[in-house]
Amino acid sequence: MATSPLSLTSKPPSITRLRHQRPPLTTVRASAATVTTTTGMPDHHHPSLEITGGGADRFLPAFNTLHLPYKPFPIIGWNRHLETIFAAFFRTVPEVKYRRECLRTQDNGTIALDWVCGDHRNLPSDSPILILLPGLTGGSQDSYVKHMLLKAKSKGWRVVVFNSRGCANSPVTTPQLQTASFTADTCHVVDHVSSRYPKASIYAVGWSLGGNILVNYLGREHHRCSLSGAVSLCNPFNLVIADENLRKGFNNIYDRALRGGLSRTFEKHTSLFEEMHDEYNVQAGLNPRTVREYDEAITRVSLGYKSVDEYYSNSCSCHVVQHVRIPLLCIQAANDPIAPIEATPYSDIKDNPNCMLIVTPQGGHLGWVAGDDAPFGAPWTDNVVIEFLEHLQKNASKPESS
C-alpha cells in the first residue's frame, strides 16, 4: 500500500473549504440516446454513470463503452474500502522494461523519466506520446500505471512515465520532494518531450495527486501548454477537503500507509534537508503521525508556505479548472474514500467547453474493479481513457510550439 498514489495541491487568496455541489440541471446522464430536457439542454441518460461538463456533447462520440452499464465485480466492488485495498495489493503487475532518462531542472533538481525499452527504435517519430503522472509516492512500478501503459502501447503510442522527485527510486539532488502544486517540473517534462519529438502530438494522464498536478499545470500554464489532451483520474481537486476527509474513521488506514511511504522516501535523503537553515523539522519528517504532519514539517517549507493550510489551499486544482484550454476528461468514483466527490468542481467543469466529467457509482480509490478484466486485470477506466485519447488523436493537428 506504500506505493498507492495519493496526496494532496493555483493561488486563491484564502483557505477554502467550500463543498462543490452537484447542480441538478448541469448533470448529464449519458447513453446512446439523446433527448431534450425542459430546460432545452441536451441530456444523455445512462443507467449507472453520471456524465457532465461543457464538452460532454463534443466528446461523447469518442466512446464505444459508455453505453454499457457499470457493473462492479461482485463483493469486491460493493465496498469502497475493500475495492481500494484489493486493487492496491492484488491487481496484477505486468512486466514492463524501462529505459530511464534523468533531467536536470533549473533549480538543480532531478526528474526521472521512464521510457519503454525499444520504443525509440520501433515507433515512428510522429507516433502520439502519452505522459503518465502517478500519484503520491507512486511511480513507474505501480500496477495501474503499467496497465495503462500497455493499453496505450497496444495502440501504437509511445509512453513515458514522469516520476516526481524522489519517487520510483529516482535521484534527489535538492531538498525538495514530490509536491502537489509545483508545476515547473511538469513544464520541463512536457517541453523536453515536445522538443525531442517535435512531430508528435502529446497527451497526459494523471492519477490522484498526479491528476491534481496535471490539472494545476493545464490551468496555470494554459498560455504555454503544448499538450493536445489530458485525463485526470481520482483527483482530490480540493486538498483542504481531502485533508479533512483523510483523517476520518477508517480512512486513517490510508493516511498511515501514505505517511509511511513519504517518511521512507524522506529518510533516504535526510542529509539534504539537515544541511539547510530553513524551518525543516527533520524528526517530524522521519516519524510523522499523519500526512498532514509530514507536509507541515517538510513539504510546505520546501515551497515557502507559512503553514500546511496555506500549502493545501494554494495547491487545489479545483481553482484552475476554469482556465483549462485543451480537452480534459475527469473520471471520479462517487464512493472514493481518498478523493471525496464533494471536492469535485462540478460547476467549473460544466461551464468549461473543454471539460468532461464521468462519475462512476463505485470504484473506490484507483480501484474500478469492473469490466471484462476484473478482478485482477486492468481497471475499468483504461478502455474509457484510451477511447478518449484515440478520438482526440484522430482529430488532432500538431499543437503550436510554445
Side-chain angles (χ1 to χ4, degrees):
M1 193 72 179
T3 59
S4 298
L6 161 84
S7 177
L8 310 170
T9 24
S10 314
K11 286 247 178 193
S14 61
I15 298 171
T16 177
R17 288 179 168 79
L18 174 66
R19 263 59 176 177
H20 299 277
Q21 301 298 321
R22 304 191 208 182
L25 294 182
T26 66
T27 297
V28 183
R29 301 276 179 181
S31 87
T34 300
V35 298
T36 301
T37 67
T38 57
T39 64
M41 296 294 290
D43 191 14
H44 310 274
H45 292 279
H46 191 280
S48 52
L49 299 178
E50 181 182 358
I51 299 179
T52 188
D57 288 334
R58 173 184 166 196
F59 300 134
L60 274 174
F63 303 101
N64 297 317
T65 55
L66 291 187
H67 68 282
L68 300 172
Y70 181 87
K71 293 183 178 180
F73 194 81
I75 302 177
I76 295 171
W78 296 345
N79 179 278
R80 61 180 184 166
H81 298 301
L82 179 59
E83 186 168 15
T84 299
I85 295 171
F86 179 90
F89 284 100
F90 300 107
R91 178 167 280 152
T92 57
V93 183
E95 180 67 27
V96 177
K97 292 184 178 180
Y98 293 113
R99 175 177 54 86
R100 175 157 288 188
E101 177 185 18
C102 290
L103 307 180
R104 185 56 57 92
T105 63
Q106 288 186 344
D107 67 342
N108 207 37
T110 303
I111 305 169
L113 299 182
D114 285 337
W115 301 84
V116 179
C117 283
D119 279 359
H120 65 292
R121 296 189 304 268
N122 302 329
L123 293 175
S125 61
D126 61 350
S127 297
I129 300 174
L130 184 59
I131 302 173
L132 303 181
L133 289 79
L136 179 62
T137 73
S140 56
Q141 75 280 359
D142 289 329
S143 63
Y144 65 92
V145 173
K146 290 185 172 182
H147 278 291
M148 185 71 254
L149 181 153
L150 292 180
K151 179 69 69 174
K153 182 175 170 57
S154 71
K155 300 292 184 178
W157 288 54
R158 189 188 313 276
V159 187
V160 58
V161 183
F162 167 19
N163 299 293
S164 291
R165 300 192 189 199
C167 295
N169 293 315
S170 59
V172 176
T173 51
T174 60
Q176 179 175 320
L177 299 173
Q178 185 182 34
T179 72
S181 62
F182 189 69
T183 58
D185 285 356
T186 309
C187 291
H188 190 74
V189 169
V190 174
D191 290 346
H192 171 77
V193 174
S194 182
S195 64
R196 184 170 178 177
Y197 295 98
K199 297 180 180 180
S201 295
I202 305 173
Y203 305 81
V205 173
W207 293 266
S208 195
L209 181 67
N212 190 77
I213 294 171
L214 176 59
V215 175
N216 266 330
Y217 164 75
L218 299 179
R220 295 180 183 181
E221 309 293 336
H222 62 86
H223 57 285
R224 56 162 295 178
C225 174
S226 57
L227 295 179
S228 297
V231 181
S232 162
L233 302 102
C234 286
N235 187 344
F237 281 113
N238 189 317
L239 304 190
V240 177
I241 295 176
D243 167 55
E244 294 173 349
N245 182 75
L246 192 61
R247 292 178 280 122
K248 293 180 180 178
F250 189 85
N251 288 355
N252 279 294
I253 193 172
Y254 308 122
D255 188 79
R256 188 180 307 123
L258 290 168
R259 78 172 189 238
L262 289 167
S263 61
R264 283 191 293 274
T265 300
F266 178 68
E267 185 177 15
K268 299 176 184 177
H269 311 288
T270 306
S271 59
L272 287 172
F273 295 83
E274 290 176 333
E275 296 174 358
M276 302 300 294
H277 298 291
D278 293 309
E279 305 172 19
Y280 293 109
N281 187 333
V282 173
Q283 288 306 311
L286 290 171
N287 298 286
R289 291 171 295 181
T290 62
V291 170
R292 178 185 176 86
E293 187 171 292
Y294 173 87
D295 284 337
E296 171 66 43
I298 306 300
T299 311
R300 66 92 184 169
V301 181
S302 68
L303 295 176
Y305 289 112
K306 296 179 180 179
S307 69
V308 67
D309 288 319
E310 183 184 22
Y311 163 58
Y312 287 160
S313 179
N314 285 281
S315 301
C316 300
S317 61
C318 63
H319 298 310
V320 300
V321 169
Q322 60 186 312
H323 301 305
V324 173
R325 296 293 178 265
I326 67 166
L328 171 63
L329 172 64
C330 302
I331 308 180
Q332 303 287 120
N335 69 344
D336 193 320
I338 293 172
I341 194 63
E342 59 266 28
T344 305
Y346 275 82
S347 295
D348 285 343
I349 291 175
K350 182 260 181 183
D351 291 339
N352 190 327
N354 301 299
C355 296
M356 176 176 174
L357 170 67
I358 299 175
V359 180
T360 58
Q362 291 88 24
H365 190 73
L366 296 175
W368 284 303
V369 183
D372 295 338
D373 294 326
F376 298 105
W380 172 87
T381 48
D382 279 11
N383 286 327
V384 178
V385 171
I386 203 65
E387 285 179 351
F388 177 74
L389 296 176
E390 286 270 274
H391 174 77
L392 296 181
Q393 175 60 14
K394 289 177 182 177
N395 295 280
S397 59
K398 179 67 179 72
E400 294 181 359
S401 172
S402 60

